[in-house]
Amino acid sequence: MRTTDTLFERVWSVAAKVPRGKVTTYGAIARVLGSPGAARTVGWAMRAAPVGSELPCHRVVNAAGELCPEDTFGGPGVQRSLLESEGVTFDVQGRVDMKRHLWIP
């Protein structure tokens, strides 16, 4: 197994624990894994998640509460729709209300 595979699996393990109605950040996952500067790598891991894995990838956002690029979940608004269906709320700029919904692993 390559080192990257192991790291990606560790990222997915943390992401799998994010509860419904909450979000976490790429940076928070990186910090809990002992690599505080690896937020971008966490993003790569999330994008490489196995199709059909049921990982709640939609619950991982950036530190400002901004969502992934529109194409990530198959079309415009998909990530937001998934989060809203779980009760996640957004501010007027379209960012997740992090004070209310942030989950720290």
Side-chain angles (χ1 to χ4, degrees):
M1 182 176 293
R2 296 184 329 236
T3 304
T4 304
D5 292 337
T6 302
L7 175 61
F8 281 19
E9 289 170 356
R10 291 173 54 215
V11 167
W12 299 334
S13 177
V14 174
K17 297 174 185 172
V18 182
R20 287 179 59 84
K22 296 291 183 181
V23 298
T24 196
T25 67
Y26 304 106
I29 292 174
R31 284 189 295 280
V32 79
L33 295 177
S35 299
R40 189 173 303 268
T41 303
V42 171
W44 294 334
M46 297 308 300
R47 194 156 178 105
V51 175
S53 66
E54 298 188 24
L55 279 171
C57 297
H58 63 285
R59 297 181 190 149
V60 183
V61 299
N62 74 18
E66 296 170 337
L67 304 181
C68 294
E70 294 289 333
D71 66 325
T72 304
F73 290 94
V78 174
Q79 183 180 19
R80 182 177 175 131
S81 178
L82 289 167
L83 290 170
E84 286 177 330
S85 75
E86 297 179 350
V88 173
T89 57
F90 295 80
D91 65 19
V92 295
Q93 287 84 29
R95 297 176 300 208
V96 172
D97 179 348
M98 298 299 273
K99 289 182 181 177
R100 186 169 177 196
H101 300 288
L102 180 62
W103 178 79
I104 302 294

